[in-house]
Amino acid sequence: MEQKKEYTDHYELVLENWRRKSREWDWKARFEELGFAGWQAQGKLPIWYYGVRYEWNPEDGRFCEAENPGKKLSFGTEMNLYNLIVKEGGTPVLSGKWVPLREVKRAYPFAPAFQNGTLTPFAQFFDGKAELLRKAGERLGFRPISDSDVGFEAMAFPCLPIRFLFWDGDEEFPAQTNILFDANITEFVHEETVVMLGSDGVSRLKEMAERITEEKEA
């Protein structure tokens, strides 16, 4: 129990540090670079993330879900929101070329862990459940694509699409998955954040699938 408390406290300390630093950033300039609407000199600033509206409060540097402000955000969600804003380097531009993580600039070292920690569990969770995955993606507002048995293009942010691909297993081969990113994604966020964006998208698909299953069983 003590170890879990220390683990939780560590992540909370990290978030508190980012909340403090975020109050010093030039949010107006970053909104302009990303082409985001909603900038205002006073009040909370909106950012859409995986189809959900979040708001940043300049008074305490915290993010909240606009429709459910009391909901505790996951560490990954909150960090991904901060990391989009803190990235520097001018106005980013999409390439239109889709690549797996191993081909994303400077992200190759993270590819093995991403396979083991995100892609393989993604495939195992939905193995034999292609229709459930399809329903989960549709419920989340992800756009269906035809590059695999079940596939979606999701707007991680309004400026940044990500593709989730799933091939169901059969008697000979297990289920397979992949997540594709725009080749210029590291112009928008750091390479470590690319990993977190993919993982968070999979988490949302799993959570929605579990909700759909619970509704069906109720």
Side-chain angles (χ1 to χ4, degrees), residues 2-207:
E2 186 63 29
Q3 184 177 5
K4 183 176 179 58
K5 183 177 185 300
E6 290 178 2
Y7 179 86
T8 304
D9 288 349
H10 168 72
Y11 279 85
E12 187 60 30
L13 285 172
V14 171
L15 288 172
E16 282 299 330
N17 184 46
W18 280 85
R19 290 163 185 158
R20 176 182 55 79
K21 290 191 298 184
S22 71
R23 299 172 69 187
E24 303 171 2
W25 299 341
D26 188 342
W27 286 73
K28 182 176 185 293
R30 188 57 173 161
F31 264 50
E32 291 175 351
E33 290 175 354
L34 296 171
F36 282 0
W39 161 257
Q40 54 186 2
Q42 303 291 329
K44 297 179 180 179
L45 299 180
I47 297 181
W48 289 84
Y49 177 58
Y50 279 121
V52 178
R53 178 182 168 123
Y54 295 87
E55 294 179 336
W56 177 76
N57 189 338
E59 295 184 2
D60 59 13
R62 290 175 175 268
F63 276 103
C64 71
E65 193 173 307
E67 293 187 0
N68 191 2
K71 178 181 178 180
K72 182 176 176 57
L73 304 185
S74 72
F75 177 79
T77 291
E78 201 161 351
M79 286 302 301
N80 288 341
L81 290 163
Y82 287 123
N83 279 313
L84 177 71
I85 302 301
V86 75
K87 182 75 164 68
E88 298 178 351
T91 303
V93 179
L94 294 172
S95 71
K97 178 183 178 182
W98 294 99
V99 297
L101 183 72
R102 66 179 180 275
E103 296 180 24
V104 171
K105 296 174 185 176
R106 301 181 299 279
Y108 179 80
F110 305 107
F114 188 65
Q115 177 68 50
N116 294 330
T118 298
L119 295 181
T120 297
F122 180 19
Q124 292 173 340
F125 186 92
F126 287 105
D127 193 2
K129 303 174 185 175
E131 186 59 29
L132 178 60
L133 174 59
R134 184 175 289 107
K135 291 179 179 178
E138 290 174 353
R139 189 83 71 90
L140 288 167
F142 294 179
R143 182 175 69 85
I145 57 177
S146 58
D147 296 18
S148 56
D149 291 345
V150 181
F152 303 101
E153 182 172 308
M155 300 306 295
F157 295 106
C159 58
L160 195 57
I162 294 178
R163 289 187 171 182
F164 298 85
L165 307 178
F166 173 84
W167 294 267
D168 209 353
D170 55 28
E171 295 179 355
E172 295 185 36
F173 300 102
Q176 300 289 326
T177 60
N178 208 345
I179 299 176
L180 302 182
F181 307 92
D182 187 272
N184 285 351
I185 190 171
T186 49
E187 292 186 8
F188 294 81
V189 295
H190 292 287
E191 48 271 24
E192 297 92 335
T193 307
V194 178
V195 175
M196 295 172 66
L197 288 173
S199 297
D200 204 14
V202 171
S203 293
R204 288 164 186 259
L205 285 166
K206 289 180 178 179
E207 290 168 4

